[in-house]
Short mmCIF file of all heavy atoms in Angstrom, two decimals:
data_model
loop_
_atom_site.label_atom_id
_atom_site.label_comp_id
_atom_site.label_asym_id
_atom_site.label_seq_id
_atom_site.Cartn_x
_atom_site.Cartn_y
_atom_site.Cartn_z
N ARG N 98 12.99 10.09 -1.04
CA ARG N 98 13.74 10.25 0.20
C ARG N 98 14.18 11.69 0.40
O ARG N 98 14.10 12.23 1.51
CB ARG N 98 14.99 9.34 0.15
CG ARG N 98 15.28 8.60 1.43
CD ARG N 98 16.49 7.67 1.31
NE ARG N 98 16.37 6.73 0.20
CZ ARG N 98 17.27 6.60 -0.79
NH1 ARG N 98 18.36 7.32 -0.82
NH2 ARG N 98 17.10 5.72 -1.76
N HIS N 99 14.64 12.32 -0.69
CA HIS N 99 15.14 13.70 -0.60
C HIS N 99 14.07 14.67 -0.11
O HIS N 99 14.38 15.59 0.66
CB HIS N 99 15.66 14.13 -1.98
CG HIS N 99 16.47 15.39 -1.96
ND1 HIS N 99 17.82 15.39 -1.71
CD2 HIS N 99 16.11 16.67 -2.12
CE1 HIS N 99 18.25 16.65 -1.74
NE2 HIS N 99 17.25 17.44 -1.99
N TYR N 100 12.82 14.45 -0.56
CA TYR N 100 11.72 15.32 -0.16
C TYR N 100 10.68 14.55 0.66
O TYR N 100 9.48 14.78 0.52
CB TYR N 100 11.06 15.95 -1.38
CG TYR N 100 11.94 16.93 -2.11
CD1 TYR N 100 12.52 16.62 -3.33
CD2 TYR N 100 12.19 18.19 -1.56
CE1 TYR N 100 13.34 17.52 -3.98
CE2 TYR N 100 13.02 19.08 -2.20
CZ TYR N 100 13.58 18.75 -3.42
OH TYR N 100 14.38 19.65 -4.06
N ARG N 101 11.15 13.67 1.52
CA ARG N 101 10.26 12.81 2.29
C ARG N 101 9.14 13.59 2.96
O ARG N 101 9.37 14.56 3.68
CB ARG N 101 11.10 12.07 3.38
CG ARG N 101 10.30 11.26 4.36
CD ARG N 101 9.74 9.97 3.79
NE ARG N 101 10.79 9.02 3.46
CZ ARG N 101 10.63 8.00 2.63
NH1 ARG N 101 9.47 7.79 2.06
NH2 ARG N 101 11.65 7.20 2.37
N ASN N 102 7.90 13.17 2.69
CA ASN N 102 6.70 13.81 3.26
C ASN N 102 6.53 15.27 2.84
O ASN N 102 5.80 16.04 3.48
CB ASN N 102 6.68 13.71 4.79
CG ASN N 102 6.53 12.27 5.24
OD1 ASN N 102 6.05 11.43 4.50
ND2 ASN N 102 6.93 11.98 6.47
N ARG N 103 7.22 15.64 1.77
CA ARG N 103 7.07 17.01 1.24
C ARG N 103 6.75 16.99 -0.25
O ARG N 103 7.10 17.92 -0.97
CB ARG N 103 8.34 17.82 1.53
CG ARG N 103 8.58 18.08 3.01
CD ARG N 103 9.73 19.01 3.24
NE ARG N 103 10.99 18.44 2.79
CZ ARG N 103 11.97 19.14 2.22
NH1 ARG N 103 11.86 20.42 2.00
NH2 ARG N 103 13.09 18.52 1.85
N ILE N 104 6.12 15.89 -0.70
CA ILE N 104 5.68 15.78 -2.10
C ILE N 104 4.19 15.42 -2.10
O ILE N 104 3.80 14.46 -1.44
CB ILE N 104 6.43 14.66 -2.87
CG1 ILE N 104 7.93 14.74 -2.64
CG2 ILE N 104 6.07 14.71 -4.36
CD1 ILE N 104 8.67 13.46 -3.07
N LEU N 105 3.39 16.19 -2.82
CA LEU N 105 1.97 15.87 -2.97
C LEU N 105 1.66 15.50 -4.42
O LEU N 105 2.26 16.04 -5.34
CB LEU N 105 1.10 17.07 -2.57
CG LEU N 105 1.19 17.56 -1.14
CD1 LEU N 105 0.25 18.76 -0.93
CD2 LEU N 105 0.86 16.44 -0.15
N ASN N 106 0.70 14.58 -4.57
CA ASN N 106 0.20 14.20 -5.89
C ASN N 106 -1.31 14.26 -5.87
O ASN N 106 -1.93 14.07 -4.81
CB ASN N 106 0.67 12.77 -6.23
CG ASN N 106 0.18 12.33 -7.61
OD1 ASN N 106 0.29 13.06 -8.60
ND2 ASN N 106 -0.38 11.11 -7.69
N ILE N 107 -1.91 14.51 -7.03
CA ILE N 107 -3.37 14.43 -7.14
C ILE N 107 -3.70 13.28 -8.07
O ILE N 107 -3.11 13.14 -9.14
CB ILE N 107 -3.99 15.76 -7.60
CG1 ILE N 107 -5.50 15.73 -7.48
CG2 ILE N 107 -3.54 16.14 -9.02
CD1 ILE N 107 -6.16 17.11 -7.51
N HIS N 108 -4.63 12.41 -7.62
CA HIS N 108 -5.02 11.27 -8.42
C HIS N 108 -6.52 11.34 -8.69
O HIS N 108 -7.30 11.54 -7.74
CB HIS N 108 -4.66 9.97 -7.71
CG HIS N 108 -5.00 8.75 -8.52
ND1 HIS N 108 -4.26 8.40 -9.62
CD2 HIS N 108 -6.02 7.86 -8.42
CE1 HIS N 108 -4.82 7.31 -10.17
NE2 HIS N 108 -5.87 6.97 -9.46
N PRO N 109 -6.96 11.12 -9.93
CA PRO N 109 -8.39 11.33 -10.26
C PRO N 109 -9.28 10.14 -9.94
O PRO N 109 -10.00 9.63 -10.80
CB PRO N 109 -8.35 11.64 -11.76
CG PRO N 109 -7.17 10.88 -12.27
CD PRO N 109 -6.16 10.88 -11.14
N ALA N 110 -9.25 9.70 -8.68
CA ALA N 110 -10.15 8.65 -8.19
C ALA N 110 -10.09 8.70 -6.66
O ALA N 110 -9.25 9.42 -6.10
CB ALA N 110 -9.72 7.27 -8.68
N LEU N 111 -11.00 7.97 -6.03
CA LEU N 111 -10.95 7.88 -4.55
C LEU N 111 -10.02 6.72 -4.21
O LEU N 111 -10.45 5.55 -4.22
CB LEU N 111 -12.36 7.67 -3.99
CG LEU N 111 -13.32 8.85 -4.16
CD1 LEU N 111 -14.71 8.47 -3.63
CD2 LEU N 111 -12.80 10.09 -3.44
N LEU N 112 -8.76 7.03 -3.93
CA LEU N 112 -7.81 5.95 -3.58
C LEU N 112 -8.31 5.23 -2.33
O LEU N 112 -8.89 5.85 -1.48
CB LEU N 112 -6.41 6.53 -3.37
CG LEU N 112 -5.74 7.06 -4.64
CD1 LEU N 112 -4.41 7.73 -4.31
CD2 LEU N 112 -5.51 5.94 -5.65
N PRO N 113 -8.12 3.91 -2.18
CA PRO N 113 -7.21 3.10 -3.01
C PRO N 113 -7.84 2.51 -4.27
O PRO N 113 -7.24 1.61 -4.86
CB PRO N 113 -6.80 1.99 -2.05
CG PRO N 113 -8.02 1.77 -1.21
CD PRO N 113 -8.62 3.15 -1.02
#
Side-chain angles (χ1 to χ4, degrees):
R98 223 177 305 124
H99 192 87
Y100 292 107
R101 173 74 67 199
N102 294 338
R103 293 188 295 144
I104 312 165
L105 298 181
N106 180 47
I107 190 163
H108 182 73
L111 292 176
L112 291 175

